[in-house]
């Protein structure tokens, strides 16, 4: 009981000192000791013309060992939906206004290695959507049947599992709820 009381008093003193510091000093202290995350934006683009289960837009990027989703890091102060639309256009040539992207459920996927993916969904007609890649950042873009996906990158397979898609869908992992 005495130890708990001492810890409580010590904590009150530390917080009292902390909140008397100038705001910029407090902010620097917090940034130093709080875990940092890199935030990315990802878009799951489905072919609106395909019958269920549908087709998914995937990209093959260097070194080309697996396929992934259109994704990238957010720029400073960039809203996630804007970043997702920007990355989609840069990597695949598919230009959509941010208002045509809807948040996936879950919208934020926190990865243990220090990054957060903000995931959005969109549907476009594959037959009239031209895919344009630069050959440097993206080697190839193509539509793939959801029930017959090519070899995926590990990160993509794990992310798709959150949405019940791909080789890890239905397997135990951080992407499944305890009830499954």
């Amino acid at each position: 009981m005495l130890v708990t009381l001492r810890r409580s008093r010590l904590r009150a003193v530390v917080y009292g000192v902390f909140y008397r510091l100038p705001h910029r000093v407090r902010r620097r202290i917090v940034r130093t000791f709080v875990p940092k995350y890199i935030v990315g934006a990802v878009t799951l683009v489905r072919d609106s013309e395909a019958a269920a289960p549908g087709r998914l837009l995937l990209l093959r990027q260097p070194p080309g060992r697996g396929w992934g989703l259109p994704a990238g890091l957010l720029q400073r102060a960039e809203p996630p939906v804007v970043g997702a639309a920007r990355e989609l256009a840069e990597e695949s040539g598919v230009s959509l206004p941010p208002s045509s992207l809807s948040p996936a459920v879950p919208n934020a996927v926190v990865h243990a290695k220090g990054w957060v993916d903000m995931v959005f969904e969109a549907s476009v007609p594959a037959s009239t959507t031209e895919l344009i890649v630069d050959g440097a950042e993206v080697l190839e873009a193509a539509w793939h049947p959801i029930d017959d996906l090519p070899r995926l990158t590990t990160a993509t397979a794990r992310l798709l599992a959150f949405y019940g898609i791909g080789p890890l869908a239905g397997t135990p992992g951080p992407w499944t709820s305890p009830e499954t």
Side-chain angles (χ1 to χ4, degrees), residues 23-162:
H23 177 71
R24 71 180 198 295
V25 173
R26 290 194 321 251
R27 188 173 181 184
R28 182 164 295 210
I29 290 170
V30 168
R31 285 187 173 181
T32 301
F33 294 104
V34 173
K36 296 169 182 67
Y37 287 91
I38 296 169
V39 181
V42 181
T43 308
L44 299 172
V45 184
R46 298 174 193 264
D47 177 2
S48 62
E49 302 168 323
R55 297 190 311 163
L56 195 60
L57 175 63
L58 295 174
L59 310 174
R60 195 169 57 83
Q61 296 178 290
R65 294 190 188 108
W67 290 79
L69 296 164
L73 297 177
L74 294 178
Q75 296 173 356
R76 188 172 210 70
E78 181 179 41
V81 70
V82 172
R86 176 184 51 78
E87 286 292 338
L88 177 62
E90 287 175 5
E91 294 184 346
S92 69
V94 177
S95 292
L96 297 174
S99 60
S100 66
L101 302 180
S102 57
V105 178
N107 181 232
V109 176
V110 180
H111 302 277
K113 295 204 176 188
W115 83 89
V116 176
D117 281 326
M118 300 300 297
V119 185
F120 297 89
E121 295 180 303
S123 292
V124 298
S127 66
T128 58
T129 302
E130 183 180 9
L131 301 177
I132 302 168
V133 298
D134 63 10
E137 182 182 0
V138 177
L139 303 173
E140 186 178 2
W143 296 97
H144 295 276
I146 289 176
D147 58 357
D148 188 26
L149 295 173
R151 180 178 178 206
L152 302 171
T153 64
T154 302
T156 299
R158 288 181 177 157
L159 186 89
L160 287 175
F162 279 97

Side-chain angles (χ1 to χ4, degrees), residues 161 166-177 180:
L168 299 178
T171 61
W175 48 82
T176 56
S177 66
T180 57

